[in-house]
Amino acid sequence: MRLLERMRKEWFMVGIVLAIAGAKLEPSIGVNGGPLKPEITVSYIAVATIFFNSGLSLKTEFTDSRLHASSCIFCSDFNQGSWWK
């Protein structure tokens, strides 16, 4: 039972070890043009995931003020843009 508790606590490290072991056993999955398409996956999806996770970790006071400011800018820009048409 102690090993299972330790694995639950260190789940991220266990996942990294399993990913490295899988890459060692079957490297053809991650090559350029392979099924994972690393030229797309790494450049777009991984970067978007990193920014999304960073946004989730922001404090709510900061995000509320930023969300309010960005929505005000969007609304004012949208309204002013439609005035001229």
Side-chain angles (χ1 to χ4, degrees), residues 18-32:
L18 288 175
I20 291 171
K24 180 72 173 170
L25 293 174
E26 195 61 45
S28 63
I29 293 175
V31 298
N32 281 345

Side-chain angles (χ1 to χ4, degrees), residues 62-72:
F62 180 71
T63 56
D64 287 342
S65 65
R66 294 277 299 195
L67 181 61
H68 178 71
S70 62
S71 64
C72 289

Side-chain angles (χ1 to χ4, degrees), residues 17 23 25-28 32-33 35 38-39 41 47 49-50 58 62 67 69 79-80:
V17 169
L25 293 174
E26 195 61 45
S28 63
N32 281 345
E39 57 275 2
T41 309
V47 172
T49 303
I50 289 169
L58 290 175
F62 180 71
L67 181 61
N79 289 336
Q80 288 175 359

